Amino acid sequence: MDSRRDFIKKASMLAAGMALPSSILKAMAINPAEGSTFWDAEHVVILMQENRSFDHSYGMLKGVRGFNDPRAIRLPNNNKVFLQTNPKGETFAPFRLDLKETNATWMSSLPHSWENQVDARNDGKYDQWLQAKPSGHEEYKEMPLTLGYYDREDIPFYYALADAFTVCDQNFCSSLTGTTPNRLYMWSGTIREKASFESKANVKNEDVDYERWAYWKSFPERLEEAGISWRIYQNEISLRSGLEGESDAWLSNFTDNSIEWFDQYKVKFAPEYHAYLHKVKDVIPVRIEELKAKISSLSGQDLEKAKRELSNLQSFLEILKVDIIEYTPENFEKLSSFQKNLHNKAFTNNRADADYRELVAIEYDDNGTKRSLEVPKGDVLYQFRKDVSEDKLPAVSWLVAPENFSDHPGAPWYGAWYVSEVMEILTKNPEIWKKTIFILAYDENDGYFDHVPPFVPPHHLKPDTGKVSSGIDTSVEHVNIEHEKQRKYKNPEKDARESPIGLGFRVPLVIASPWSRGGQVCSEVFGKICL
């Protein structure tokens, strides 16, 4: 594990592109076993990062279907797809955000939920990006930020990674949605309880969450049933355990391990959650009474904030009363070996590192200016590093980064450090890398434009939307509008959306392995796996 100061130094070097990163150099230098192919791999390591479209990240990469695409479609107004027009009639083209000379990193996300993803696609017309994707910040909302992209100067590590290995330029995210549905696809291949048009498609992040559990079968369960080793690594899970603010951003998994919301994994048996319940069981009632007494003297935003806090605390107190009795260490021991394995493997954290829930302040020199920064005191990859070094890496493993390492818009650009460190770990022992495939993927595009329209299935009740081979049921690939109208919209008829679930927009996908070296481009279509 790098020291905290080495972390800052390495992160700065990766951001500046000062030299080809050592992790990439080492990986390129390790040859596969003679005569072997990727079918001989013994380990697949999957890291899904956050919220970047393909054009936003790799539109300027040579050799891919990016901004030089000779097959770019034309819009209904006969403009090339890159020329998007806003409601005022102003037309904009993609432009470089310039990571170093602008405030781009701190301008946060753009809209990327079901409604505006569907609206941007506009039934395939593909001409509503500026209308559907304005910034939620008043000072930025007139800017065409959706068309912003980074180039090699901005994100040198990711360009170096693509130069060294294989980038897939026809990889579409699973659905026209935000984070949770796309990650549900990664871990289960579906967002429906049943493969039926009458079963609700969970296209919004809030559809599946704590207390709104998923129950269908997931891929890790299938691996467990087949006797194939697997594990999901994270520094700490997102279930309540006392991490807040900066600690939460640096140390928990950013709710990016959607397996936490599958009932069969019993996330509430996590020891840290049980300890937290006992820590706050007497504190919460006191805080509730304080808020009740205080509310009568408040007004405006302060009143609304206090009401929300009171409601949240009251709801959690009711959950606490049940969970503190039900999810005890004693009851965990009553589970079957299969259930225990699901829980322990899915929620592998770094509790073996004494400092894994701590931050430490460090000072560093920024071109003559002294600055201070809180960073993880422990090793956010501790258990993964340990398992690799001890030759205990499973056949299939998933890594889930904390928010600040996730590449999410608005988070610091420390994702490059995280990816580089994963490769450092995997290449430390060449014999491990010789039999490993590392997959770097992204869950969805955030609100960022991509110029290639996704492939979508025809609607089973609308013959004019296309045809498929006889016997193929496309209804399961569409949202049932009646389900959408049942949501708590102010105007369900106006705000509900009927659309194919996916494919969604293109996102980056890089395959790093001994068999995928050489700066290759794979243009096969990649997308969701359906059950």
Side-chain angles (χ1 to χ4, degrees):
M1 167 61 176
D2 289 340
S3 72
R4 264 65 66 186
R5 292 186 183 279
D6 286 342
F7 159 67
I8 291 292
K9 181 179 178 181
K10 184 175 179 181
S12 299
M13 289 178 65
L14 291 172
M18 293 173 63
L20 195 62
S22 62
S23 58
I24 293 178
L25 285 171
K26 285 198 297 183
M28 289 174 65
I30 298 172
N31 294 317
E34 188 173 350
S36 68
T37 72
F38 68 90
W39 291 110
D40 297 301
E42 296 180 16
H43 309 288
V44 176
V45 179
I46 303 165
L47 170 60
M48 179 176 274
Q49 293 286 74
E50 281 274 340
N51 295 48
R52 303 285 170 176
S53 77
F54 187 88
D55 277 347
H56 172 75
S57 295
Y58 283 136
M60 293 293 287
L61 183 67
K62 291 181 180 179
V64 301
R65 194 173 176 185
F67 296 130
N68 283 331
D69 186 359
R71 301 182 303 281
I73 67 166
R74 289 191 177 272
L75 302 175
N77 64 5
N78 207 37
N79 277 342
K80 281 285 186 77
V81 65
F82 301 109
L83 301 176
Q84 294 285 321
T85 303
N86 68 16
K88 296 179 180 179
E90 300 168 329
T91 299
F92 295 90
F95 63 97
R96 181 186 168 208
L97 286 171
D98 195 336
L99 187 67
K100 298 167 187 171
E101 300 300 327
T102 73
N103 202 32
T105 298
W106 311 112
M107 296 171 85
S108 196
S109 292
L110 299 174
H112 54 280
S113 58
W114 169 247
E115 307 92 87
N116 53 74
Q117 297 279 53
V118 171
D119 289 351
R121 180 178 168 270
N122 194 22
D123 289 325
K125 300 180 185 69
Y126 227 62
D127 58 355
Q128 295 292 302
W129 284 87
L130 294 175
Q131 290 85 335
K133 304 293 185 180
S135 173
H137 292 271
E138 185 67 26
E139 63 269 40
Y140 306 146
K141 72 177 184 179
E142 298 299 323
M143 298 181 186
L145 290 174
T146 181
L147 295 170
Y149 65 82
Y150 292 121
D151 66 11
R152 183 179 296 273
E153 187 176 342
D154 300 306
I155 49 174
F157 173 80
Y158 290 110
Y159 272 73
L161 191 67
D163 289 343
F165 295 102
T166 298
V167 63
C168 303
D169 70 351
Q170 289 290 284
N171 175 57
F172 297 84
C173 65
S174 298
S175 56
L176 285 161
T177 57
T179 291
T180 297
N182 279 293
R183 287 177 179 267
L184 290 174
Y185 270 114
M186 178 176 69
W187 270 300
S188 71
T190 185
I191 56 173
R192 281 188 148 116
E193 185 72 33
K194 298 177 182 178
S196 167
F197 188 63
E198 301 308 318
S199 179
K200 178 185 174 184
N202 295 292
V203 291
K204 294 181 75 66
N205 281 354
E206 60 266 29
D207 287 345
V208 178
D209 205 331
Y210 308 113
E211 317 306 328
R212 294 192 291 273
W213 309 104
Y215 294 93
W216 60 85
K217 185 170 285 191
S218 60
F219 294 143
E221 289 170 84
R222 297 175 189 275
L223 293 174
E224 189 68 21
E225 289 171 346
I228 297 172
S229 60
W230 64 276
R231 197 170 288 277
I232 303 174
Y233 294 93
Q234 58 254 291
N235 185 69
E236 180 61 285
I237 61 176
S238 284
L239 183 66
R240 289 181 189 241
S241 65
L243 293 178
E244 297 180 358
E246 280 294 294
S247 293
D248 184 61
W250 281 109
L251 302 173
S252 78
N253 68 18
F254 201 26
T255 67
D256 276 351
N257 180 356
S258 298
I259 290 296
E260 288 192 42
W261 301 322
F262 280 77
D263 178 73
Q264 54 268 41
Y265 288 82
K266 306 296 180 189
V267 66
K268 289 188 174 183
F269 277 115
E272 291 79 10
Y273 177 62
H274 188 69
Y276 176 73
L277 295 182
H278 280 278
K279 182 178 179 180
V280 301
K281 65 182 176 64
D282 296 324
V283 176
I284 290 179
V286 173
R287 178 57 180 162
I288 287 174
E289 293 307 314
E290 289 175 349
L291 284 169
K292 285 180 178 179
K294 185 180 180 181
I295 276 178
S296 61
S297 64
L298 299 176
S299 61
Q301 291 184 351
D302 290 338
L303 176 60
E304 293 306 311
K305 182 178 178 181
K307 284 182 176 179
R308 286 195 299 271
E309 183 183 357
L310 178 60
S311 177
N312 290 337
L313 287 175
Q314 288 173 326
S315 297
F316 180 60
L317 182 60
E318 294 308 307
I319 293 170
L320 182 153
K321 290 176 181 177
V322 174
D323 289 356
I324 202 167
I325 296 171
E326 183 173 349
Y327 293 99
T328 63
E330 294 76 21
N331 284 341
F332 179 75
E333 292 304 318
K334 296 176 184 178
L335 299 179
S336 67
S337 295
F338 184 84
Q339 289 175 309
K340 289 179 185 175
N341 284 342
L342 289 185
H343 176 90
N344 289 329
K345 294 179 183 180
F347 309 128
T348 300
N349 70 4
N350 291 326
R351 65 174 62 98
D353 181 344
D355 296 320
Y356 86 107
R357 290 171 60 90
E358 301 295 328
L359 298 181
V360 62
I362 62 169
E363 290 186 353
Y364 65 99
D365 183 88
D366 179 13
N367 295 321
T369 302
K370 289 194 176 297
R371 300 191 185 278
S372 178
L373 178 69
E374 284 192 307
V375 298
K377 187 176 182 180
D379 179 0
V380 295
L381 288 160
Y382 177 87
Q383 193 59 50
F384 177 71
R385 191 187 308 272
K386 186 172 186 292
D387 285 356
V388 173
S389 68
E390 295 177 358
D391 201 13
K392 295 178 180 178
L393 185 65
V396 181
S397 54
W398 291 269
L399 292 164
V400 189
E403 176 184 355
N404 283 353
F405 296 105
S406 73
D407 280 348
H408 191 281
W413 270 93
Y414 295 136
W417 174 88
Y418 192 90
V419 176
S420 179
E421 196 67 12
V422 169
M423 292 187 65
E424 290 277 9
I425 293 167
L426 291 171
T427 57
K428 185 175 182 180
N429 180 348
E431 294 306 311
I432 295 291
W433 183 250
K434 281 183 181 180
K435 49 191 178 183
T436 296
I437 298 173
F438 173 49
I439 300 174
L440 173 64
Y442 285 75
D443 52 14
E444 34 97 351
N445 62 298
D446 196 84
Y448 291 111
F449 170 82
D450 186 82
H451 80 277
V452 179
F455 298 90
V456 298
H459 195 287
H460 58 295
L461 299 177
K462 300 178 180 181
D464 62 340
T465 61
K467 293 183 178 182
V468 294
S469 300
S470 176
I472 295 178
D473 178 16
T474 63
S475 70
V476 296
E477 296 298 326
H478 282 261
V479 163
N480 188 328
I481 190 63
E482 296 307 316
H483 295 156
E484 290 304 292
K485 289 178 181 179
Q486 293 166 12
R487 293 186 183 278
K488 295 179 180 179
Y489 290 122
K490 290 181 179 179
N491 185 342
E493 292 294 330
K494 177 178 179 292
D495 296 336
R497 298 291 187 277
E498 182 178 47
S499 169
I501 297 170
L503 297 174
F505 303 117
R506 286 193 310 168
V507 291
L509 177 67
V510 179
I511 312 297
S513 77
W515 306 282
S516 57
R517 296 175 298 175
Q520 302 175 79
V521 178
C522 177
S523 294
E524 293 182 30
V525 174
F526 293 90
K528 63 186 172 186
I529 303 170
C530 299
L531 299 180

